[in-house]
């Protein structure tokens, strides 16, 4: 059997939505008998944790760690990375190059175009340009994305909102886009046999405490400061409420300082860095999941929470409204609106029956559309379609 040779390229494999999406795609393709898969990534790690160890123990695909492929812009190093990718693509004769993240997307698409790779695909997990950004940088990213789109046969977006924003920014015409939502292993989130009392006890939370959770890197634009501000009004009515912050990052100390300034130390709990397989258990210990990021393609925590039977509150950004059905499985609120955020949290805390009903409706919404198998099937179908079109040209 002649196998389809596919190469995925991403800047770094930290613990994050884009990276987990890429890994699941690569692993899913490797389970098919007709694919030979290579993954190229940079060497960078971060306080969020990384997936490199997991990658290096997986024998089903070829892993290449390219030292010059880094997240931050560096003209000399970026030229080196592009040239190395170009020569690798020419030597390896890939049928498909599939890129992820803005930096790897630009460099690898340029290299693939120069090497005459038959099919070039890029996935937008989150647009590199966004409202809360320097105008010149915003313009530069728009130009680069338009430029790279010329060498791209199809652009995958994880949400219709990403597609619409990219079209509006004139990255590419509508017909060049395909929406394929990020898949995941839903089964651990659908389980209902976790020992919640034991999990809460380990975190210093009582069995009767109300727990509001947020899962995100402690990083810029993730919105932790809005949750801390809104918590003031929530704690005034529910002094025993606990806010469980799952994740780690460079802003931890500054967030702790904000919590101290608000006299909220007894209400906030940091888990620190956790592995992805721990997330389902932690969500099971929550009563409500809040997502207040200002920039996200389609946050995986939203379908994860709904699969776990938990209602959600999210800032109304990007693809959130494609998962959160207002008043049915959660609430959407305007970005940065801490008053609406506190009122929504209080509404759930006052009405346990409302939380339960919304959580039950959310479970039915995400399965099977967010299963990893469903995602890989859609990607494989797109590969086949584009390869067939290429052969006809």
């Amino acid at each position: 059997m002649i196998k389809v040779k596919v190469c995925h390229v991403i800047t770094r494999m930290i613990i994050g939505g884009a990276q987990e999406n890429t890994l699941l795609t690569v692993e899913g393709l490797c389970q098919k008998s007709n694919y030979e898969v290579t993954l190229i990534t940079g060497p960078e790690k971060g306080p969020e944790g990384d997936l490199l160890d997991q990658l290096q123990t997986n024998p089903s695909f070829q892993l290449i760690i390219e030292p010059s492929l880094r997240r931050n812009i560096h003209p000399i190093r970026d030229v080196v990375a592009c040239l190395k990718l170009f020569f690798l693509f020419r030597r390896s004769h890939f049928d498909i190059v599939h890129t992820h993240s803005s930096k790897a997307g630009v460099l690898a698409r340029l290299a693939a175009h120069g090497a005459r790779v038959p099919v070039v695909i890029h996935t937008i997990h989150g647009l590199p340009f966004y409202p809360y950004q320097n105008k010149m940088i915003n313009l530069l990213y728009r130009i680069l994305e338009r430029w790279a789109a010329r060498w791209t046969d199809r652009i995958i977006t994880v949400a219709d909102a990403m597609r619409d924003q990219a079209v509006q920014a004139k990255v590419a015409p509508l017909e060049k886009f395909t929406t394929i939502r990020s898949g995941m292993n839903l089964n651990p989130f659908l389980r209902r046999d976790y020992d919640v009392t034991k999990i809460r006890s380990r975190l210093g939370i009582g069995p009767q405490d109300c727990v509001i959770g947020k899962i995100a890197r402690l990083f810029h634009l993730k919105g932790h400061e809005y949750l801390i501000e809104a918590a003031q009004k929530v704690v005034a009515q529910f002094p025993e409420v606990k806010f469980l912050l799952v994740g780690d990052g460079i802003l931890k100390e500054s967030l702790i300082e904000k919590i101290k300034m608000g006299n909220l130390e007894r209400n906030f709990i940091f888990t620190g860095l956790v592995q992805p397989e721990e997330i389902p258990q932690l969500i099971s210990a929550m009563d409500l999941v809040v997502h207040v990021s200002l920039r996200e393609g389609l946050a995986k925590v939203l379908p994860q929470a709904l699969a776990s039977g938990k209602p959600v509150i999210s800032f109304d950004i990007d693809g959130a409204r494609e998962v959160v059905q207002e008043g049915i499985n959660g609430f959407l609120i305007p970005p940065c609106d801490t008053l609406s955020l506190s009122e929504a949290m209080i509404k759930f805390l006052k009405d346990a029956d409302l939380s339960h009903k919304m959580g039950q409706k959310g479970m039915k919404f995400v399965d099977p559309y967010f299963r990893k198998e469903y995602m890989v099937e859609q990607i494989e179908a797109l590969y086949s379609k584009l390869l067939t079109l290429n052969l006809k040209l």
Side-chain angles (χ1 to χ4, degrees), residues 183-200:
M184 63 195 77
N185 182 7
L186 276 183
N187 292 336
F189 297 96
L190 294 168
R191 283 179 54 182
R192 295 295 176 267
D193 58 349
Y194 293 116
D195 189 338
V196 174
T197 300
K198 185 177 180 180
I199 297 167
R200 287 186 168 207

Side-chain angles (χ1 to χ4, degrees), residues 1-5 29 31-36 380 384:
M1 178 185 294
I2 298 175
K3 294 192 175 185
V4 177
K5 296 183 68 175
L29 290 172
Q31 293 175 8
K32 313 284 185 178
S33 60
N34 57 326
Y35 285 94
E36 180 181 312
E380 185 182 17
S384 297

Side-chain angles (χ1 to χ4, degrees), residues 358-376:
M358 283 194 173
Q360 293 299 306
K361 290 176 180 176
M363 289 165 50
K364 300 175 183 177
F365 179 77
V366 298
D367 191 13
Y369 304 109
F370 286 89
R371 284 193 176 273
K372 60 182 181 179
E373 296 86 358
Y374 189 76
M375 174 187 72
V376 173

Side-chain angles (χ1 to χ4, degrees), residues 37-82:
V37 186
T38 298
L39 173 61
I40 302 175
T41 183
E44 286 183 291
K45 299 184 179 182
E48 310 90 348
D50 66 84
L51 301 169
L52 286 176
D53 290 341
Q54 183 176 343
L55 291 172
Q56 290 167 336
T57 58
N58 193 325
S60 61
F61 57 87
Q62 181 185 18
L63 173 66
I64 299 174
I65 298 177
E66 173 48 56
S68 61
L69 189 57
R70 305 291 180 106
R71 184 171 183 263
N72 293 330
I73 295 174
H74 188 288
I76 296 175
R77 192 165 54 209
D78 294 344
V79 169
V80 170
C82 190

Side-chain angles (χ1 to χ4, degrees), residues 207-262:
Q208 303 305 317
D209 289 340
C210 290
V211 180
I212 297 173
K214 174 170 171 55
I215 302 172
R217 292 183 293 148
L218 308 182
F219 203 73
H220 303 288
L221 299 178
K222 292 300 183 181
H224 293 86
E225 65 272 27
Y226 301 111
L227 180 60
I228 293 170
E229 183 179 339
Q232 300 269 3
K233 291 184 174 62
V234 178
V235 171
Q237 293 194 41
F238 297 88
E240 300 305 315
V241 68
K242 297 293 187 293
F243 294 88
L244 182 62
L245 303 185
V246 179
D248 206 347
I250 61 174
L251 296 185
K252 184 173 183 178
E253 295 306 318
S254 64
L255 294 174
I256 289 174
E257 193 59 35
K258 289 181 186 293
I259 290 167
K260 286 181 179 177
M261 289 175 63

